[in-house]
Amino acid sequence: MMYLYSDQNNNRFQITASEIRYIPMTASESSSGQYNGGKKATVKITKETFNQISTLAEAVFASEGVTTQRRMLTAVLSLQNNGENRQVIATPSEERKRLEAVLRELIQ
């Protein structure tokens, strides 16, 4: 089971039951040529932490803050699990804000 999350700046998070990989946007990849999402990170997590992230991610999937078009200030959340693939484009919402806060805290 893996969650993939791309925030509004296209910084990417790969989340499994044992770790989070943070793959930041680099200046050379950014449209401005200047934005930098920071340093790559791989952080080991506990099953309890994964369950917390999973609960937050599922709240994003279920929220009303989803759309069908990628545009400014949106993020993408995907789940890959034994052939099941789900994806939403998330507009700013409390559910998304809580998920991002936990992910950011874990990679610091």
Side-chain angles (χ1 to χ4, degrees):
M1 176 182 231
M2 181 186 319
Y3 288 98
L4 304 169
Y5 184 73
S6 177
D7 70 15
Q8 70 186 26
N9 295 314
N10 289 324
N11 297 303
R12 297 172 305 277
F13 296 83
Q14 297 175 340
I15 306 137
T16 66
S18 60
E19 69 181 18
I20 296 174
R21 287 186 179 180
Y22 174 64
I23 304 146
M25 173 69 75
T26 64
S28 64
E29 295 171 318
S30 77
S31 60
S32 69
Q34 297 180 5
Y35 176 78
N36 183 329
K39 294 181 181 179
K40 284 184 178 183
T42 300
V43 177
K44 298 291 182 190
I45 60 172
T46 64
K47 184 69 174 167
E48 181 179 279
T49 299
F50 178 75
N51 289 339
Q52 176 189 17
I53 292 168
S54 182
T55 298
L56 293 168
E58 291 302 322
V60 172
F61 277 118
S63 77
E64 293 184 16
V66 296
T67 184
T68 57
Q69 296 180 339
R70 185 81 198 252
R71 56 181 182 241
M72 296 293 288
L73 303 178
T74 59
V76 177
L77 175 64
S78 302
L79 169 66
Q80 298 174 352
N81 185 23
N82 294 325
E84 173 191 7
N85 294 304
R86 289 190 287 157
Q87 180 173 299
V88 293
I89 299 171
T91 60
S93 67
E94 283 303 311
E95 293 86 1
R96 188 180 116 184
K97 185 177 179 179
R98 285 192 288 272
L99 174 62
E100 287 183 1
V102 168
L103 294 176
R104 292 261 171 226
E105 181 179 318
L106 289 167
I107 63 161
Q108 296 301 323

